[in-house]
Amino acid sequence: EDKVVQSPLSLVVHEGDTVTLNCSYEVTNFRSLLWYKQEKKAPTFLFMLTSSGIEKKSGRLSSILDKKELSSILNITATQTGDSAIYLCAATTGANSKLTFGKGITLSVRP
Amino acid sequence: DGGITQSPKYLFRKEGQNVTLSCEQNLNHDAMYWYRQDPGQGLRLIYYSQIVNDFQKGDIAEGYSVSREKKESFPLTVTSAQKNPTAFYLCASSPGQVPYEQYFGPGTRLTVT
């Protein structure tokens, strides 16, 4: 059974802190790993990491895929209150691009 | 504007009634997906469809049914056989089989009492 595990499940930090969110996966026919941010409703896409693109960066957010360790991290530097959200990690498997999601990490950034 | 729409935003039903959630996309995407989200559970796949007139069960299909008669539409019916239907339902679409990211609609919150 495909499995994606995220840790920690929740995190409280103060503005300006740097945080690292973890994701590990055990899936058959792995194709890519995706990170989403969910603030109330629809998850919004952050990054997709594949064998040909194991490191991505956008502003204060960056992500790395470690295919040997079957894991990924999402880093957020100089956190802001607007970063408060649930961060979802998902692995794409097989030919049908089916996504298997982790349970999500709830990040709270205090002023 | 291209995107995915879901309606209604909130839905209330009595136990024992079937209810259909709408999902429409104008992104010309081939693949569409239905997920269920419960607190602390992440997203779980209910059904998905890669082409018109074809769909497959996801991880928690029991008590749900779908149809895909048009490329842009993928309605989900929550039947009375679904034991715990109260949840947040998200529809998504993606261009196709290459690992593309999935784009999500705004969701429908269903409450069954």
Side-chain angles (χ1 to χ4, degrees), chain A residues 41, chain B residues 6-11 88-89 106-110:
Chain A
K41 298 178 181 176
Chain B
Q6 291 185 242
S7 61
K9 191 185 291 189
Y10 299 96
L11 192 53
F88 186 51
Y89 290 87
T108 292
R109 190 166 296 281
L110 172 65

Side-chain angles (χ1 to χ4, degrees), chain B residues 30-112:
Chain B
D30 287 318
M32 296 186 75
Y33 309 81
W34 273 106
Y35 294 91
R36 169 185 173 136
Q37 187 174 32
D38 297 281
Q41 290 294 317
L43 274 64
R44 292 182 289 169
L45 182 65
I46 305 172
Y47 269 97
Y48 62 102
S49 167
Q50 292 178 270
I51 55 172
V52 174
N53 292 322
D54 188 43
F55 48 83
Q56 287 78 41
K57 291 182 180 179
D59 301 317
I60 55 164
E62 188 175 344
Y64 299 98
S65 66
V66 293
S67 62
R68 186 86 188 275
E69 296 175 5
K70 298 186 296 181
K71 188 176 185 178
E72 57 270 21
S73 178
F74 191 41
L76 173 75
T77 296
V78 184
T79 75
S80 55
Q82 168 49 233
K83 290 185 173 55
N84 296 299
T86 294
F88 186 51
Y89 290 87
L90 284 160
C91 178
S93 70
S94 73
Q97 293 190 1
V98 177
Y100 291 108
E101 61 265 30
Q102 292 182 12
Y103 299 87
F104 286 84
T108 292
R109 190 166 296 281
L110 172 65
T111 302
V112 176

Side-chain angles (χ1 to χ4, degrees), chain B residues 3-4 23-29 32 68 71-72 93:
Chain B
I4 303 174
C23 177
E24 305 275 330
Q25 54 100 359
N26 60 5
L27 300 167
N28 200 33
H29 285 173
M32 296 186 75
R68 186 86 188 275
K71 188 176 185 178
E72 57 270 21
S93 70

Side-chain angles (χ1 to χ4, degrees), chain A residues 22-70:
Chain A
N22 300 290
C23 175
S24 64
Y25 59 92
E26 285 180 42
V27 300
T28 53
N29 299 319
F30 172 82
R31 302 193 72 175
S32 62
L33 189 124
L34 288 82
W35 284 97
Y36 286 86
K37 177 182 181 183
Q38 185 178 25
E39 287 180 85
K40 287 277 186 196
K41 298 178 181 176
T44 53
F45 172 75
L46 294 175
F47 299 118
M48 181 165 68
L49 303 156
T50 66
S51 304
S52 56
I54 61 171
E55 195 164 342
K56 294 283 176 75
K57 183 174 169 58
S58 175
R60 296 178 295 102
L61 276 66
S62 62
S63 184
I64 297 173
L65 177 69
D66 187 335
K67 287 201 72 180
K68 190 175 172 187
E69 297 295 326
L70 305 183

Side-chain angles (χ1 to χ4, degrees), chain A residues 89-108:
Chain A
C89 167
T92 306
T93 62
N96 54 27
S97 295
K98 194 165 81 102
L99 282 178
T100 299
F101 280 86
K103 293 186 176 183
I105 296 171
T106 301
L107 174 65
S108 299

